[in-house]
Amino acid sequence: MDGRHNAQANAGTAHGDGPNGRRLPDFLLSVNLKYVKLGYHYLISHLLTLCFIPITAVTLLEISQMSYTDVRLLWLHLQFNLISVIIFSTVVVFGLTVYIMSRPRPIYLVDYSCFRAPHDWAASLHAFMEHSRRTGDFDESSLEFQRKILERSGVGDETCVPEAMHLVPPKPSMAAARDEAEKVMFGALDALFCNTKVKPKDIGILVVNCSLFNPTPSLSAMIVNRYKLRGHVRSFNLGGMGCSAGVIAVDLAKDLLQIHRNTYAVVVSTENITQNWYFGNKKSMLIPNCLFRVGGSAVLLSNKSVDRSRAKYKLVHVVRTHKGADDKAFRCVYQEQDGAGKTGVSLSKDLMAIAGGALKTNITTLGPLVLPISEQLLFFATLAVKKLFNKGVKTYIPDFKLAFDHFCIHAGGRAVIDELEKNLQLLPVHVEASRMTLHRFGNTSSSSIWYELAYIEAKGRMRKGHRVWQIAFGSGFKCNSAVWQALRNVKPSCNGPWEDCIDRYPVKLVL
């Protein structure tokens, strides 16, 4: 695996033992543990193949020793048992037919696009603080709190907020919120239709997710109206599901594509800033102001076999975890009014602990689906030893770098990325896309994982067969994962979000 740390290999040295004044090296010191582990993984991963080779060899040897008479006797035996042969063949053909017809249809990601806001929407740290001061809504303590959060957040000076929030005083009206939603969604969709050459009339399924802005008519209806989608399009509008709703929307589209044949599905993920800015002084509700920025994505999925040749990825797994039954988890990201009646989203101090618990549950389910059998055996072996013999034994943490080539961790904030890097034992290159997305675009909610995937593509790192893990957290509390496999060496699409700035990244962050 690229980027893995090399173990120290200490060769034995010559000493005055033996007739030649030399002795054998200390093999315990000279063995490179990295290659021992790689050898173990190779052995376990190819165990069935290694067992199959001698069986095949013995079978071929027996066949090679058969005479003409033996072959003729075998043929006569089959003729006398014709009915049995026909029944057996019928059962095999029927079983294969049922298997082929009932297995899930492959879901292809043809292409996707991310909204890139105009430069005049940019809000640098200095401009953000100056604007917050001029609104007159925040006291000095709140202003200082926001300044410290911004300096430590990993958010850069090119992140964007909508036009209405640049005004003094801000004017977060319904009309302004609709305008932001239209510019973001239509901007992403225009680029998607242009790059894929798919006509809007060909879309059979539309799924839109936006957590905090849910007007009537819905956002999905706005898209249907703008692009004149066909009358029997199956449209869905997901609201209030937090930053992990992008994976939920993909999962819903996947299920629908299993039912409806030969069609396209479009998934639009965004969040609306205009009507959800907090103008109060409660510290836990000021954090979203510092992190959330304008962003959105549009993804084209297909169940058409002809699209495999041009698709970028194939959907491998979706795993969803919901911890909403626990009261602390349910309220850790909570929209409410403060004492002055001002609405905002409050973040609990227990957020990171709850996110860690949700992640543990999610990867416990995902692990057996993606990890090589060697890692699973090591994990269960140490778990059994810990349960049965020695509780002090440290549970083995599976190496997810053996299952995935790339990681798209939701850019919710620097603390989230830091914790996953530490707990999953990732290297800096594995979280580079997440950190740089947070720096360039901020927390764009459910669409952030697509900006991260675009970063990996723009860097030229996505190769055929590579697996990518998208993982996102959201209110409720939820942790959701999507696993994709590259069908070719993936190049960035035209008008990508990193097109004009990828050469400047990665940038060095102040920690």
Side-chain angles (χ1 to χ4, degrees):
M1 180 64 63
D2 291 339
R4 294 180 60 84
H5 294 296
N6 291 324
Q8 294 292 330
N10 300 308
T13 56
H15 291 276
D17 298 341
N20 297 321
R22 298 177 66 87
R23 69 175 185 178
L24 291 175
D26 189 336
F27 287 103
L28 184 61
L29 294 177
S30 64
V31 169
N32 190 319
L33 295 180
K34 170 187 175 181
Y35 298 111
V36 171
K37 189 174 181 182
L38 287 176
Y40 164 73
H41 284 306
Y42 184 86
L43 174 65
I44 297 299
S45 299
H46 297 83
L47 187 60
L48 289 177
T49 304
L50 294 174
C51 292
F52 182 72
I53 290 174
I55 295 174
T56 304
V58 171
T59 303
L60 291 174
L61 181 63
E62 289 294 327
I63 292 173
S64 67
Q65 293 177 351
M66 290 178 68
S67 64
Y68 173 78
T69 304
D70 295 328
V71 175
R72 187 171 179 276
L73 287 174
L74 179 61
W75 173 251
L76 290 173
H77 179 74
L78 291 175
Q79 282 184 317
F80 285 118
N81 292 275
L82 184 60
I83 295 176
S84 299
V85 173
I86 292 174
I87 293 173
F88 176 75
S89 301
T90 303
V91 171
V92 170
V93 171
F94 178 77
L96 288 173
T97 302
V98 171
Y99 169 75
I100 293 171
M101 295 298 292
S102 61
R103 67 177 181 173
R105 295 185 181 89
I107 305 301
Y108 302 113
L109 192 163
V110 179
D111 205 349
Y112 65 96
S113 62
C114 299
F115 174 73
R116 189 169 58 188
H119 293 295
D120 57 356
W121 286 20
S124 65
L125 189 153
H126 174 76
F128 181 96
M129 292 306 305
E130 183 61 26
H131 184 269
S132 296
R133 189 180 304 278
R134 291 173 63 191
T135 61
D137 293 298
F138 308 105
D139 58 31
E140 286 300 321
S141 176
S142 295
L143 289 170
E144 179 62 17
F145 177 78
Q146 291 181 80
R147 185 187 64 78
K148 289 181 178 180
I149 292 293
L150 282 168
E151 288 178 347
R152 302 169 184 172
S153 65
V155 175
D157 285 338
E158 295 182 85
T159 60
C160 297
V161 297
E163 291 175 294
M165 307 313 297
H166 284 275
L167 302 176
V168 180
K171 296 181 179 179
S173 63
M174 173 62 76
R178 282 184 180 274
D179 181 64
E180 178 195 347
E182 289 176 354
K183 287 180 177 177
V184 173
M185 295 191 305
F186 299 164
L189 284 167
D190 286 346
L192 181 68
F193 290 136
C194 178
N195 290 339
T196 60
K197 309 303 180 187
V198 171
K199 298 177 181 178
K201 289 285 186 181
D202 295 332
I203 304 303
I205 299 165
L206 173 65
V207 183
V208 181
N209 69 271
C210 182
S211 192
L212 295 174
F213 181 59
N214 292 286
T216 300
S218 66
L219 298 177
S220 59
M222 291 164 60
I223 293 173
V224 172
N225 177 258
R226 164 66 181 262
Y227 294 98
K228 309 304 177 188
L229 302 187
R230 58 198 192 193
H232 58 282
V233 64
R234 294 164 179 85
S235 64
F236 300 85
N237 205 93
L238 308 180
M241 303 196 78
C243 299
S244 67
V247 177
I248 297 173
V250 167
D251 191 34
L252 175 59
K254 177 205 71 174
D255 290 343
L256 292 167
L257 286 170
Q258 293 299 326
I259 300 170
H260 304 287
R261 295 175 177 271
N262 200 40
T263 191
Y264 290 112
V266 168
V267 174
V268 179
S269 300
T270 188
E271 192 52 79
N272 195 277
I273 306 296
T274 300
Q275 282 201 319
N276 296 289
W277 204 263
Y278 176 60
F279 294 100
N281 290 289
K282 187 176 180 180
K283 301 292 193 297
S284 63
M285 299 170 76
L286 283 169
I287 298 174
N289 285 12
C290 302
L291 298 177
F292 282 87
R293 297 293 185 266
V294 170
S297 62
V299 181
L300 180 66
L301 303 176
S302 172
N303 58 12
K304 301 180 181 183
S305 58
V306 296
D307 282 322
R308 179 185 174 87
S309 60
R310 68 166 181 153
K312 287 186 171 183
Y313 304 95
K314 180 177 72 173
L315 182 61
V316 182
H317 299 293
V318 175
V319 174
R320 293 166 55 182
T321 301
H322 205 307
K323 307 293 285 186
D326 179 77
D327 289 340
K328 282 188 176 181
F330 175 71
R331 296 187 66 91
C332 71
V333 180
Y334 203 79
Q335 187 180 27
E336 59 184 351
Q337 290 182 319
D338 64 11
K342 296 182 178 180
T343 302
V345 176
S346 177
L347 304 182
S348 167
K349 293 181 179 179
D350 300 323
L351 176 60
M352 291 308 302
I354 292 167
L359 173 66
K360 181 180 178 181
T361 303
N362 190 268
I363 64 176
T364 301
T365 305
L366 181 67
L369 300 175
V370 298
L371 286 169
I373 189 66
S374 54
E375 284 294 289
Q376 297 184 48
L377 288 176
L378 284 173
F379 172 75
F380 286 116
T382 57
L383 190 64
V385 170
K386 183 175 183 179
K387 292 288 184 182
L388 299 176
F389 303 106
N390 186 0
K391 292 185 178 180
V393 173
K394 187 177 180 181
T395 303
Y396 178 74
I397 300 175
D399 188 355
F400 279 90
K401 298 188 293 296
L402 293 172
F404 302 111
D405 301 281
H406 307 285
F407 298 80
C408 294
I409 301 166
H410 166 54
R414 199 186 79 185
V416 174
I417 301 170
D418 288 345
E419 285 300 310
L420 264 72
E421 180 182 12
K422 175 183 176 182
N423 289 315
L424 294 178
Q425 299 178 350
L426 303 179
L427 300 174
V429 68
H430 295 130
V431 295
E432 182 183 310
S434 300
R435 293 194 190 281
M436 296 306 104
T437 294
L438 181 64
H439 180 271
R440 174 60 184 85
F441 297 100
N443 181 349
T444 60
S445 190
S446 56
S447 65
S448 69
I449 53 178
W450 298 106
Y451 286 89
E452 294 162 15
L453 187 57
Y455 179 89
I456 297 169
E457 292 178 6
K459 281 294 182 182
R461 297 172 182 172
M462 191 65 70
R463 294 287 180 264
K464 183 178 180 179
H466 280 190
R467 285 195 172 195
V468 57
W469 181 14
Q470 292 180 322
I471 183 166
F473 301 91
S475 58
F477 189 84
K478 299 179 286 293
C479 176
N480 299 319
S481 295
V483 180
W484 304 88
Q485 184 174 26
L487 297 176
R488 52 189 169 89
N489 294 343
V490 182
K491 296 180 180 179
S493 301
C494 295
N495 300 313
W498 300 92
E499 194 172 67
D500 63 343
C501 62
I502 191 62
D503 292 338
R504 295 189 278 115
Y505 285 89
V507 297
K508 187 175 181 179
L509 301 176
V510 179
L511 301 179

